[in-house]
């Protein structure tokens, strides 16, 4: 009887340890620090991301993100411009690594413009040609806070894309 109890306890402990190891590495195998510089992956149409913890406030004019353990690429905004227009994007970030970027993607011309990398503040006005654009957050094992404000001129429609 003692041996059976001991065997059940050992098997149970093995299952618990295996489960903890599996959950700790859930879906992180496809991410690497190189993701932050992988323009081809940023240009792809779908998102792939994981957060250990995230709090987000997103409107058509501003975004406030607070997160830990972010890995991947997530689209925050879609901008449509029928005949061209301007958009001013102001960003402020305080993150714990340089493996983090906010980028503006020109879907038609397949171009990637870095809005901010790592921690800091930036404000730029972009002259958009007719087409579709995306603002994406890209990172590898990053935590911190990011704030962004958008001011779109005539001819530019802004819509939120992120899942809340």
């Amino acid at each position: 009887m003692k041996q059976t109890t001991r065997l059940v306890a050992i098997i149970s402990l093995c299952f618990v340890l295996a489960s903890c190891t599996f959950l700790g590495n859930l879906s992180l195998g496809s991410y690497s620090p190189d993701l932050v510089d992988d323009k081809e992956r940023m240009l792809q149409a779908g998102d792939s991301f994981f957060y250990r913890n995230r709090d987000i406030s997103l409107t058509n004019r501003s975004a406030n993100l607070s997160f830990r353990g972010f890995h991947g690429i997530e689209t925050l905004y879609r901008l449509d411009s029928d005949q061209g227009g301007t958009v001013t994007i102001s960003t402020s970030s305080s993150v714990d690594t340089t493996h983090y970027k906010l980028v503006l993607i020109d879907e038609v011309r397949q171009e990637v413009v870095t809005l901010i990398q790592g921690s800091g503040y930036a404000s730029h006005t972009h002259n958009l040609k007719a087409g579709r654009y995306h603002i994406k957050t890209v990172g590898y094992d990053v935590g911190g806070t990011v704030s962004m404000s958008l001011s779109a001129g005539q001819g530019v429609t802004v819509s939120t894309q992120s899942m809340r």
Side-chain angles (χ1 to χ4, degrees):
M1 189 68 164
K2 270 186 170 178
Q3 290 179 345
T4 305
T5 305
R6 207 178 277 168
L7 182 61
V8 169
I10 290 172
I11 292 172
S12 297
L13 181 62
C14 289
F15 280 121
V16 169
L17 292 175
S19 296
C20 290
T21 302
F22 172 73
L23 292 175
N25 294 322
L26 184 65
S27 27
L28 299 181
S30 65
Y31 304 117
S32 75
D34 298 334
L35 175 68
V36 177
D37 296 316
D38 190 345
K39 291 185 179 185
E40 293 301 316
R41 193 142 171 216
M42 290 180 214
L43 290 168
Q44 291 177 359
D47 291 347
S48 174
F49 58 89
F50 172 81
Y51 290 91
R52 281 197 192 99
N53 187 353
R54 172 177 82 156
D55 184 25
I56 185 169
S57 169
L58 196 64
T59 69
N60 285 355
R61 296 188 181 267
S62 67
N64 291 298
L65 295 88
S66 176
F67 50 86
R68 283 183 324 129
F70 170 56
H71 296 264
I73 300 174
E74 180 182 18
T75 303
L76 299 175
Y77 290 101
R78 184 174 108 188
L79 292 77
D80 291 295
S81 180
D82 292 335
Q83 299 177 10
T86 62
V87 64
T88 300
I89 305 168
S90 299
T91 55
S92 175
S93 65
S94 176
V95 293
D96 58 8
T97 180
T98 58
H99 295 295
Y100 179 79
K101 281 185 183 178
L102 275 170
V103 294
L104 176 66
I105 306 291
D106 182 337
E107 188 176 291
V108 174
R109 290 156 203 85
Q110 296 289 289
E111 296 174 350
V112 178
V113 176
T114 299
L115 301 173
I116 197 163
Q117 181 167 3
S119 294
Y121 174 81
S123 182
H124 301 283
T125 299
H126 300 274
N127 294 314
L128 306 180
K129 297 176 182 174
R132 178 171 291 159
Y133 298 80
H134 299 277
I135 296 176
K136 296 184 178 187
T137 182
V138 182
Y140 175 78
D141 195 21
V142 61
T145 60
V146 177
S147 297
M148 178 177 19
S149 66
L150 296 148
S151 178
Q154 286 190 349
V156 179
T157 305
V158 178
S159 57
T160 60
Q161 297 294 299
S162 177
M163 300 298 289
R164 294 180 184 195

